[in-house]
Amino acid sequence: MEYNSNNNPYIQPGDPYPGGQMQPVRNPGRAMATASMILGIVSIVSMLTVYIPVICGSLAIVLAILSKGYGKKMLPGAKVGIGTGIGGIMLIFSIVGSLVAMILSLNRDDLITFGRQMDQQFERQTGQELEDVLGQSYEEIMKQYAEAMGK
């Protein structure tokens, strides 16, 4: 008896997988794991912005966890997504934290100089004075801050 695709009772006419081949099993979480990995990388690359790393890093972590589904093991792309997402969030918080610590550690004269530089930078970028926009200059804000901190 000959078993070819013409008389095999297990192959339906028009079957896209002739010869009794099995259809490849596709992991439904693979797309989410890939998206997680891409978002994690974006969160690290965009670390000089403030909001993008936090948003992309958070989404990378969520998608990596969701890509696991009911499986026991996490896909490699999801692992990379979690690592880069956490790394991007930690980088941005460390940068912002170090900037805040730097400003808090400045003495009165340095704070006032910093405020003056910020006023000049704002005027160069926008063409208007910060005092016209906020009602007071950044230099005055730094003087008030220095007085409140007892510096």
Side-chain angles (χ1 to χ4, degrees), residues 106-119 138-147 151:
L106 293 176
N107 62 21
R108 179 181 173 78
D109 295 335
D110 291 338
L111 283 171
I112 294 170
T113 304
F114 177 70
R116 193 175 302 122
Q117 290 172 350
M118 291 299 290
D119 287 336
Y138 204 73
E139 183 178 354
E140 292 171 8
I141 293 171
M142 288 289 117
K143 283 180 185 176
Q144 291 172 358
Y145 170 74
E147 289 172 10
K151 293 184 178 189

Side-chain angles (χ1 to χ4, degrees), residues 29-47 52-53 55-61 63-64 67 76-86 88:
R30 187 168 303 252
M32 279 195 271
T34 304
S36 167
M37 183 174 60
I38 291 170
L39 285 170
I41 292 170
V42 167
S43 74
I44 293 206
V45 170
S46 64
M47 72 178 182
I52 295 174
I55 293 169
C56 289
S58 300
L59 286 174
I61 294 168
L63 287 177
S67 73
K79 290 177 184 178
V80 170
I82 283 182
T84 54
I86 291 172

